[in-house]
Amino acid sequence: MTGMVFAPVFGGFLAQYFSWRCSFFVLAIIWMSLALYAYATMVESCPDDAVGEHSYSEALSQILAPGPVCLLLTSDCIASCWLVFSSNIAFVAQETYGQTTMGTSFIMLTWAAFCVMGLLFMKWLQGTRELSAQQSATVQILFVTSVAIVSLVLTASFSQKFWAYLLASFLQAFVQSSTLVPVSVLYYEPLANCAGVAASIEILFKSLPPCIYCMICTEALIHDGIKIYMNLQSGTCIGASLSFLGYLVMSRRTAAAESAEKSQEALPNQYG
């Protein structure tokens, strides 16, 4: 989150007063420094005797069950919203609404601040209400659904107003950042025995599908206009809500099946 807060302003300063290439040179230096630091300090954490003990096919069958897949799709939609906004805000602000480069940087700063406030709100909510991960995620998804409705109304009524796009985007950042944490907890809780493979699958879901969706949104922005683009960005909230609803349905079915199985196992003991 620190990078999300400070990088846009610093990058905007470099682009405004030096060159747009300067930002990429600075990023290359930072990434090279991080790679050298990781090479010098990181050590293998997996014991040698643990290698080869787990079956990847069993891990994949557990990860790609309907419940975890619904949670992955929820995270996928959240990552798509972040990527769509951060990738296209410069074009939207400068080409569509006539903002400056530094103005765009401060917009990114404000957006990152709303992401941080969403995380703080989630922490406060869990601390005051003592909610479980599923309860917390359910509450947050209700907020996501509400923001989706507000965003669609703003798009239908005020798509030509820059404040409407910013308001919808900031609300999306607030609720989706606070939703990602409990969703991730729900995803990893039953997958402790294959956490490494689960993390790899999660990275795949958070990278490839969001990139494809972002490409679609960018093409829509260029060829179809801001209104279609805003609807597509708001669609990530709808997708997250529907995906999590699928998880709730699957988890209830699983709980009912386990309860029925336990009842059947208890019958012989009761009459035996």
Side-chain angles (χ1 to χ4, degrees), residues 136-158:
S136 179
T138 302
V139 171
Q140 299 298 341
I141 286 294
L142 291 175
F143 288 143
V144 170
T145 305
S146 301
V147 166
I149 296 172
V150 172
S151 299
L152 292 174
V153 171
L154 288 173
T155 301
S157 305
F158 308 103

Side-chain angles (χ1 to χ4, degrees), residues 1 17 33 63 93 113 129 144 191 193 207 256:
M1 281 298 176
Y17 295 102
S33 302
I63 295 168
R129 301 295 181 180
V144 170
L191 304 175
N193 61 329
S207 56

Side-chain angles (χ1 to χ4, degrees), residues 225-269:
I226 187 65
K227 190 170 186 177
I228 299 299
Y229 169 78
M230 290 176 66
N231 280 324
L232 288 173
Q233 183 174 314
S234 302
T236 59
C237 292
I238 299 173
S241 301
L242 293 177
S243 299
F244 191 78
L245 178 62
Y247 163 76
L248 291 178
V249 172
M250 294 300 173
S251 61
R252 289 183 180 180
R253 287 183 179 178
T254 302
E258 291 177 353
S259 177
E261 184 178 351
K262 289 180 181 179
S263 299
Q264 291 179 354
E265 291 176 355
L267 286 177
N269 296 329

Side-chain angles (χ1 to χ4, degrees), residues 104-115:
T104 304
S105 299
F106 282 106
I107 290 169
M108 283 293 297
L109 176 65
T110 307
W111 178 81
F114 271 87
C115 289

Side-chain angles (χ1 to χ4, degrees), residues 51-70:
V51 177
E53 289 185 358
H54 302 290
S55 169
Y56 285 103
S57 60
E58 292 180 1
L60 286 175
S61 64
Q62 187 177 355
I63 295 168
L64 297 179
V69 166
C70 288

Side-chain angles (χ1 to χ4, degrees), residues 167-190:
L167 178 59
S169 298
F170 293 159
L171 288 175
Q172 291 164 15
F174 182 88
V175 297
Q176 293 201 358
S177 64
S178 61
T179 304
L180 188 59
V181 174
V183 169
S184 297
V185 171
L186 289 174
Y187 171 69
Y188 281 105
E189 271 183 346

